[in-house]
Amino acid sequence: MKAFILVTICFLGLRVHAQLDRKSIYTALASDSKELVQKQLDGLQNAKESSEVKAFKGALQMKAAQFQKTAKDKMELFNTGKKMLESEIKSNDGNVEYRFLRLLIQENAPKQLKYNGNISEDATAIITGYSKLKEATKTALEAYAKKSASLSGLI
């Protein structure tokens, strides 16, 4: 019985870890694939609620907004994700990864959304805190920096 409980706990731990697969999340954020974005959102729906999960969900929801059919649906989903990500950044101001998520969205959001007010401060935070990031985040950041004017000093 103890072995069963131990195996179950280990399995659940791995399941939560697999749901926060940064490489897959960043691949979805960089893509123009509705299916990839939705797959990552679906995976996070069952994840244990945490600041990290909320930040990733927020960014993915903002990305998913572009695939909605009506302008109203796009705005509602974008704003829901925005509130979630902004709340996590406010609660975890020193979290460089959350700043990277926001920068990704802000640099690629349509101009009419006027969601671009933190680009320079986020870029500075990212460049300063780069060494503290997890490897999967660094890899995504390095790939993104090649096409980002704000992060050109990173590489």
Side-chain angles (χ1 to χ4, degrees):
M1 183 67 170
K2 289 181 185 178
F4 174 74
I5 292 171
L6 182 61
V7 169
T8 302
I9 290 170
C10 289
F11 175 73
L12 291 174
L14 289 173
R15 186 172 159 217
V16 170
H17 177 70
Q19 292 169 336
L20 294 176
D21 178 5
R22 283 172 166 74
K23 183 178 178 185
S24 296
I25 291 170
Y26 286 118
T27 298
L29 287 169
S31 78
D32 286 321
S33 170
K34 177 181 179 179
E35 292 76 23
L36 279 178
V37 173
Q38 192 58 52
K39 180 179 177 185
Q40 293 307 309
L41 271 171
D42 291 345
L44 291 175
Q45 294 305 324
N46 299 321
K48 183 179 177 187
E49 199 71 17
S50 69
S51 176
E52 209 171 50
V53 168
K54 289 179 197 175
F56 284 124
K57 274 186 191 176
L60 285 164
Q61 285 178 344
M62 287 189 280
K63 175 70 176 179
Q66 77 184 51
F67 304 117
Q68 300 302 303
K69 292 184 180 173
T70 67
K72 181 182 177 208
D73 290 343
K74 288 179 182 192
M75 283 301 297
E76 285 178 5
L77 188 56
F78 186 87
N79 286 331
T80 299
K82 177 180 164 184
K83 286 177 189 171
M84 195 177 296
L85 180 58
E86 290 294 334
S87 173
E88 294 313 311
I89 290 171
K90 187 175 182 180
S91 298
N92 303 280
D93 190 47
N95 189 308
V96 177
E97 185 166 33
Y98 298 176
R99 298 295 193 101
F100 175 47
L101 290 170
R102 180 167 65 184
L103 180 80
L104 275 168
I105 300 298
Q106 286 192 355
E107 285 192 335
N108 294 289
K111 299 285 185 229
Q112 62 266 30
L113 291 176
K114 297 180 181 157
Y115 187 60
N116 56 9
N118 306 96
I119 292 174
S120 62
E121 77 179 70
D122 287 347
T124 301
I126 292 164
I127 291 168
T128 302
Y130 172 80
S131 63
K132 300 174 191 167
L133 292 170
K134 294 178 172 93
E135 284 306 312
T137 306
K138 284 181 180 179
T139 301
L141 182 55
E142 290 163 3
Y144 184 72
K146 291 175 184 172
K147 59 184 175 184
S148 169
S150 303
L151 296 175
S152 60
L154 186 65
I155 312 179

